[in-house]
Amino acid sequence: MMKIRDLGLMDFAGAYALQEQLAEDLFKGLEAETLLLLEHPPVYTIGRGGSEKNILDDAVEPIRINRGGDVTFHGPGQLIGYPIIDLGARGRDLHRYLRFLEELLIRIAGDFKVKANRFSGRTGVWTGQGKLASIGVGVRRWITMHGFALNVSTDLERFSAINPCGIAACPVTSLEDLCGISVPMEEVKEAVRRHFDPLFRQWLPVDRKSAACDA
Amino acid sequence: MASEITMPKLSDTMEEGTLVSWKKSVGEKVKRGDIIAEIETDKANMDLEAFVSGVLLETLVKPGEVVPVGTVIALVGEAGEKPAAKSPVEPERKPAEVEQPKPQEIKASLPEEEKKAEKTEKVAVDISGEEKASPLVRRMAREKGVDLGQVKGTGPEGRILREDLEKYLEAPEKAGKEGIVEPPEAISEAAGAEGKVEPFTRMRKAIARSVVASWRTIPHFAVSISVDMGAAEAMQRSLREAGVSVSINDLIIKASAMTLRKHPRLNASFSDDGTVLYPEINIGIAVSVEGGLLIPVVENSDTLSLKELAAKSRDLVERARQGKISEPEISGGTFTVSNLGMFGVDEFSAIIYPNQAAVLAVAAIHDSVVVREGRIVPARMMQATLSADHRLVDGTDAARFLSDLKKNLENPLVMLV
């Protein structure tokens, strides 16, 4: 079973330090693979390759971090998932990992009767009303950091200060907007717990060969 | 001997990767396992580890550059190994413009487009060729029309480095650059018969600049469709009877704008980061004017009523012809319509205005016969040809757009609501 830690509300810097620690310990074999679930206080982050042009409001000062993707917003009402896992032993395929995260989020949305899908060439999870979840991953020695941000009841106004993910006027939506009723964060976390393990085993099984090679 | 660090394949489906940043600088010591660079593929960043120890001798790819998997991006070798024979950084030598022949001057006025062309073009790696050089250098050489055999390599084992190529390109004309292909806009004096040189007007130069930028960077393809304009002409007549003057071109612009709403990827631009989708639909109208052409832009073509659009386009076209149009009125276009119908042409394809995704070339409406429900009937047919940027869309996207455009033009009442 995947170890899942619910951190509640945690600031970006604290969560980042914890991820680094967990990744280091996982590499050394001191820690198991872990999924962190949390919410951040309002913060804008931008991937290393992201463009400042996508910040439309001068007041926004994003934190530049070691993940892929462009600028995005995190805040209360958005479920953050940071899986710290070892892809070195699970097929060493970054794109497959991204597709796995998308699948997980699509299933979760499905539990709330929301039809979400992939949009080829645009990693993330999309609905007819806009982008529901963003994905941005950082990998070192095949160990993952960062992950996904699923809008449950996020204040979507905050996205208007940026070109989300580098796409001008990219529509962003949330589960609550799509469902038209309030969606408790706890229920979404439950859905993550339900879906993560079986999908994880199915999409990213331990590959004995590469595990042996690494040792 | 130096080891090559290549763009890693981080997924079965990864074909190219972006070099986000270098974590070590040239000359710095590298231990096996050290992070030397950050690579991005899709939405995932990977810290690239060195698999050998030594000194980072050279980096061959710049931050932000996208290269195919397997491309050599850096060389790591032994301390003291002289790789690049790096010449001390010289202040950028400005070519003496006075000495340059005319064609060079034209070329010199295009640096931005050319740089852009280099940046955006992603060409498959050419692994043929005798000379040792990285795929990046080969690509640069190909784009510049340089025969690498002519370039002296100063890297390990005579490897041709980017600096070598750049130096070769900068070298004064007299050095004899047989390999260089002159830019197409240059008038070749060796063409035999002596021709009289007619100097370019400013407008001609501007047109040359933008079509060259377009043709060099945008992989064009064209798809055509026949449209029955009978209903559109009938609607135009009844509108005129009701006192509203609308041209066929206005109907085509309106129909294009409505169709673009459904096909946002044709109302877009190519960028290194991905497709830039524009929220507004601003259609440029190619207008033939004295000495060239101008493309005034009808902003928000999709939200204007047909009547408003007609008034706006008439005003813009008239002022363009009189040379009384301002810069903002000819910029900001997101799509272009070029209509040569008044010359009776059957069909043609147009060059995409740089940084747009597509252009619609509209030919004349002519009397024709079509078979409808097994009967031959007369019809007023028109060919429309969409040229599109293949980096952004495929043939099916262009075909779907044209099919929806045809529907709108053949059921023109939708444009009134």
Side-chain angles (χ1 to χ4, degrees):
Chain A
M1 277 291 276
M2 186 73 172
K3 190 166 149 189
I4 297 180
R5 281 173 67 178
D6 186 346
L7 303 171
L9 187 72
M10 190 182 222
D11 71 338
F12 192 83
Y16 185 73
L18 178 60
Q19 288 193 75
E20 290 240 279
Q21 187 59 52
L22 287 170
E24 187 63 30
D25 289 350
L26 175 60
F27 182 71
K28 289 180 181 155
L30 302 173
E31 181 61 78
E33 293 176 317
T34 308
L35 168 64
L36 302 177
L37 292 180
L38 61 152
E39 290 168 71
H40 283 311
V43 64
Y44 291 90
T45 67
I46 186 165
R48 277 266 198 269
S51 167
E52 305 276 348
K53 279 185 306 209
N54 292 316
I55 299 152
L56 308 174
D57 184 340
D58 289 342
V60 171
E61 284 180 28
I63 307 177
R64 205 168 265 276
I65 58 168
N66 61 331
R67 62 161 170 82
D70 213 288
V71 64
T72 193
F73 169 75
H74 304 299
Q78 186 188 60
L79 178 62
I80 302 278
Y82 290 148
I84 312 295
I85 61 173
D86 183 6
L87 292 177
R90 295 182 181 274
R92 298 186 173 224
D93 192 322
L94 279 189
H95 290 178
R96 187 162 177 82
Y97 177 56
L98 297 173
R99 301 293 89 77
F100 155 73
L101 292 177
E102 286 168 348
E103 186 63 31
L104 172 70
L105 293 161
I106 289 168
R107 300 282 179 100
I108 294 165
D111 283 1
F112 295 89
K113 305 271 178 294
V114 165
K115 170 123 184 51
N117 41 49
R118 292 185 182 84
F119 180 178
S120 173
R122 287 280 179 208
T123 298
V125 175
W126 301 79
T127 69
Q129 268 67 57
K131 194 171 189 180
L132 178 61
S134 311
I135 291 174
V137 171
V139 181
R140 175 177 287 187
R141 300 179 193 129
W142 287 108
I143 290 173
T144 62
M145 281 179 70
H146 308 298
F148 64 81
L150 170 64
N151 292 318
V152 177
S153 56
T154 322
D155 173 11
L156 300 176
E157 255 314 296
R158 304 297 289 258
F159 286 97
S160 59
I162 55 173
N163 290 335
C165 307
I167 308 167
C170 171
V172 180
T173 187
S174 67
L175 278 181
E176 209 160 89
D177 255 30
L178 293 161
C179 295
I181 49 159
S182 98
V183 176
M185 184 59 83
E186 221 24 71
E187 282 182 26
V188 185
K189 286 179 181 169
E190 261 319 304
V192 176
R193 291 193 185 93
R194 231 178 2 254
H195 288 294
F196 196 94
D197 258 316
L199 281 175
F200 187 49
R201 278 199 298 272
Q202 182 194 339
W203 281 70
L204 301 163
V206 174
D207 164 4
R208 305 225 173 268
K209 215 167 53 192
S210 68
C213 273
D214 258 11
Chain B
M1 210 201 107
S3 307
E4 292 179 338
I5 310 277
T6 56
M7 174 57 69
K9 193 169 175 71
L10 302 174
S11 168
D12 274 351
T13 52
M14 175 172 170
E15 280 161 13
E16 54 184 24
T18 309
L19 187 113
V20 178
S21 63
W22 287 107
K23 299 288 180 194
K24 296 273 179 187
S25 29
V26 172
E28 210 175 323
K29 271 202 177 134
V30 175
K31 276 206 318 288
R32 185 173 192 272
D34 279 357
I35 308 299
I36 59 168
E38 195 171 354
I39 306 293
E40 179 168 356
T41 169
D42 211 335
K43 291 285 173 78
N45 273 32
M46 173 79 162
D47 286 337
L48 182 65
E49 287 171 64
F51 56 89
V52 287
S53 298
V55 169
L56 183 59
L57 298 174
E58 196 189 0
T59 57
L60 300 161
V61 173
K62 290 202 180 105
E65 230 174 310
V66 181
V67 296
V69 166
T71 304
V72 178
I73 57 173
L75 297 174
V76 172
E78 281 164 38
E81 188 172 347
K82 273 271 174 244
K86 281 237 181 251
S87 50
V89 184
E90 286 173 48
E92 258 210 279
R93 222 170 357 132
K94 281 259 183 294
E97 268 167 63
V98 210
E99 289 175 23
Q100 299 273 346
K102 272 265 152 60
Q104 284 300 319
E105 241 178 65
I106 296 166
K107 205 182 164 196
S109 69
L110 293 172
E112 264 175 38
E113 276 89 347
E114 292 199 349
K115 255 183 241 156
K116 210 157 175 200
E118 273 171 50
K119 243 184 94 185
T120 51
E121 238 166 295
K122 293 176 194 167
V123 186
V125 196
D126 179 8
I127 44 166
S128 66
E130 306 285 318
E131 297 75 26
K132 283 208 159 204
S134 72
L136 175 80
V137 172
R138 286 184 194 287
R139 189 182 76 193
M140 280 173 65
R142 201 168 39 241
E143 282 165 9
K144 299 279 183 191
V146 173
D147 172 9
L148 278 179
Q150 308 277 339
V151 184
K152 189 171 178 295
T154 60
E157 300 179 341
R159 190 183 191 91
I160 297 164
L161 308 172
R162 193 186 177 142
E163 287 91 330
D164 298 331
L165 181 63
E166 279 163 357
K167 217 180 273 173
Y168 178 83
L169 285 166
E170 270 176 27
E173 194 66 7
K174 298 132 207 163
K177 288 185 265 174
E178 293 91 345
I180 296 204
V181 177
E182 286 299 338
E185 65 269 33
I187 299 162
S188 169
E189 286 182 43
E194 275 183 36
K196 184 172 152 280
V197 178
E198 183 190 88
F200 288 127
T201 58
R202 257 184 61 214
M203 184 182 285
R204 202 67 246 163
K205 263 189 202 167
I207 294 170
R209 232 189 341 261
S210 59
V211 293
V212 166
S214 169
W215 201 244
R216 278 198 188 158
T217 54
I218 303 179
H220 286 65
F221 71 97
V223 181
S224 297
I225 201 163
S226 298
V227 183
D228 184 344
M229 292 296 283
E233 285 185 321
M235 186 171 90
Q236 184 200 16
R237 276 193 299 275
S238 38
L239 282 172
R240 194 187 304 136
E241 277 157 25
V244 181
S245 171
V246 169
S247 73
I248 287 293
N249 206 45
D250 294 333
L251 293 177
I252 290 164
I253 291 164
K254 179 71 183 171
S256 301
M258 288 173 67
T259 313
L260 283 171
R261 225 353 116 213
K262 239 184 105 181
H263 299 264
R265 284 165 65 220
L266 284 162
N267 193 63
S269 275
F270 176 90
S271 86
D272 283 350
D273 301 326
T275 309
V276 181
L277 301 163
Y278 294 113
E280 287 175 0
I281 293 173
N282 303 331
I283 296 190
I285 311 168
V287 179
S288 156
V289 300
E290 176 90 42
L293 86 151
L294 283 172
I295 309 182
V297 174
V298 182
E299 285 175 1
N300 297 307
S301 307
D302 62 321
T303 55
L304 294 178
S305 74
L306 199 49
K307 198 174 162 184
E308 291 166 332
L309 189 146
K312 191 119 193 225
S313 77
R314 193 175 325 121
D315 171 53
L316 285 169
V317 170
E318 236 171 69
R319 284 193 293 114
R321 291 216 170 102
Q322 295 162 359
K324 289 181 190 156
I325 199 146
S326 66
E327 186 64 31
E329 288 171 314
I330 52 171
S331 34
T334 59
F335 184 90
T336 299
V337 172
S338 174
N339 192 335
L340 291 179
M342 57 294 251
F343 299 102
V345 300
D346 291 332
E347 63 176 305
F348 72 107
S349 69
I351 290 187
I352 298 168
Y353 192 81
N355 275 347
Q356 295 181 7
V359 54
L360 188 73
V362 180
I365 301 174
H366 56 268
D367 285 315
S368 181
V369 285
V370 295
V371 180
R372 223 168 260 147
E373 290 161 7
R375 308 182 62 145
I376 295 174
V377 291
R380 297 280 291 160
M381 300 305 291
M382 177 190 87
Q383 286 285 113
T385 301
L386 187 80
S387 301
D389 183 340
H390 214 328
R391 297 171 302 180
L392 296 170
V393 293
D394 301 322
T396 49
D397 301 301
R400 284 196 192 104
F401 171 88
L402 285 172
S403 149
D404 285 336
L405 177 76
K406 177 184 166 91
K407 262 181 230 153
N408 284 336
L409 285 170
E410 292 183 352
N411 303 288
L413 287 174
V414 295
M415 289 184 253
L416 294 177
V417 286

